[in-house]
């Protein structure tokens, strides 16, 4: 069932069960097409460490990390253009951020059972007045969010398939990360793991 309940999550807007199962299945199908054209990649961080999360992107720009640092690139590392942002994702953005510019980038993260993402803030974008809209699919992920300074108090929540979080206002530059995945907690994906999609205005 579709739910429009909104919960405050350390200043972020949290929408549990925003997408119903049919919408989730449709999105996974569309994401599969993207991954076929622009394969998931384990990028290396600035410290040359391989990230446990596999990533790709859709949209005009794609976020990546390589020896030039964290940045938005015009093409996938293979040289192919990033696929278009699927329209159901643009619709979510328009519903939750009607006054924002349209997203020009969509980062697709795949977390296997052992993957995690350390605390970071999304600050590679040019305009922090534009929100980040995050959609979770598949297995539950333990999402942690704090404030704008590293080392402060944080709050943790299990994000479930179909949940949406909007980082906006003061939370736009809040530290956040994913501590662990509860493998097998959802039957949405063919194999254990979690997908997180974030829509952004990069430039
Ligand atoms: C991210 O910060 O890029 C991903 C957050 C999440 O997986 O929920
Ligand atoms: Fe992030």
């Amino acid at each position: 069932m579709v739910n429009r309940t909104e919960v405050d999550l350390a200043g972020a807007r949290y929408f549990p069960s925003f997408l119903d199962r049919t919408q989730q299945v449709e999105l996974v199908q569309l994401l599969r097409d993207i991954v076929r054209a622009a394969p998931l990649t384990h990028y290396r961080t600035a410290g040359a460490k391989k990230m446990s999360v596999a990533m790709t992107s859709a949209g005009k720009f794609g976020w990546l990390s390589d020896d030039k640092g964290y940045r938005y690139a015009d093409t996938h590392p293979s040289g192919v253009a990033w696929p278009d942002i699927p329209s159901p994702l643009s619709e979510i953005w328009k519903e939750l951020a009607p006054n924002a510019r349209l997203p020009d980038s969509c980062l697709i993260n795949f977390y296997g059972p052992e993957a995690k993402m350390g605390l970071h803030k999304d600050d590679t974008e040019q305009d922090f007045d534009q929100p980040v809209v995050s959609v979770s699919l598949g297995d539950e992920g333990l999402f942690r969010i704090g404030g704008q300074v590293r080392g402060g108090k944080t709050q943790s929540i299990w994000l479930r398939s179909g949940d949406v979080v909007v980082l906006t206002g003061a939370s736009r530059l809040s530290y956040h990360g994913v501590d662990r995945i509860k493998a097998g907690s959802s039957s949405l994906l063919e194999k254990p793991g979690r997908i997180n999609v974030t829509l952004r205005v990069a430039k």
Side-chain angles (χ1 to χ4, degrees):
M1 241 224 338
V2 181
N3 188 352
R4 288 298 177 264
T5 305
E6 177 173 344
V7 180
D8 174 77
L9 178 64
R13 302 173 67 196
Y14 169 45
F15 297 88
S17 307
F18 188 84
L19 299 177
D20 66 22
R21 178 79 178 198
T22 308
Q23 291 171 304
Q24 295 171 40
V25 169
E26 183 194 17
L27 268 183
V28 171
Q29 227 50 54
L30 292 164
L31 294 173
R32 269 187 217 294
D33 295 339
I34 291 174
V35 167
R36 246 192 305 275
L40 289 164
T41 307
H42 291 273
Y43 297 125
R44 283 181 193 280
T45 62
K49 240 185 108 198
K50 210 162 146 188
M51 298 176 81
S52 60
V53 179
M55 301 178 172
T56 190
S57 286
K60 192 162 167 23
F61 307 107
W63 187 93
L64 53 75
S65 174
D66 61 12
D67 45 17
K68 290 190 217 151
Y70 300 147
R71 61 196 176 88
Y72 281 99
D74 295 339
T75 62
H76 184 270
S78 66
V80 300
W82 303 108
D84 290 337
I85 297 176
S87 58
L89 287 172
S90 304
E91 292 307 316
I92 297 169
W93 175 278
K94 286 185 212 159
E95 180 173 346
L96 295 180
N99 301 318
R101 288 168 52 202
L102 291 178
D104 57 12
S105 181
C106 169
L107 175 66
I108 299 151
N109 289 335
F110 179 76
Y111 296 76
E114 305 301 328
K116 53 187 166 201
M117 187 177 291
L119 282 177
H120 67 279
K121 47 169 118 184
D122 293 358
D123 61 2
T124 321
E125 300 73 33
Q126 282 172 4
D127 180 359
F128 301 137
D129 287 336
Q130 307 303 318
V132 171
V133 173
S134 146
V135 179
S136 292
L137 296 165
D139 285 341
E140 295 172 27
L142 188 57
F143 182 74
R144 183 205 291 259
I145 181 166
Q148 297 191 4
V149 270
R150 193 182 274 284
K153 208 170 123 251
T154 61
Q155 197 177 322
S156 291
I157 186 175
W158 283 101
L159 288 181
R160 299 189 168 86
S161 198
D163 289 356
V164 174
V165 175
V166 183
L167 295 178
T168 185
S171 72
R172 173 64 182 77
L173 288 170
S174 287
Y175 277 91
H176 60 277
V178 175
D179 289 337
R180 60 194 159 92
I181 302 301
K182 202 184 281 181
S185 52
S186 161
S187 61
L188 185 71
L189 307 177
E190 273 167 24
K191 49 180 186 173
R194 169 176 184 261
I195 296 171
N196 176 264
V197 173
T198 44
L199 296 160
R200 296 123 183 264
V201 178
K203 297 190 180 180

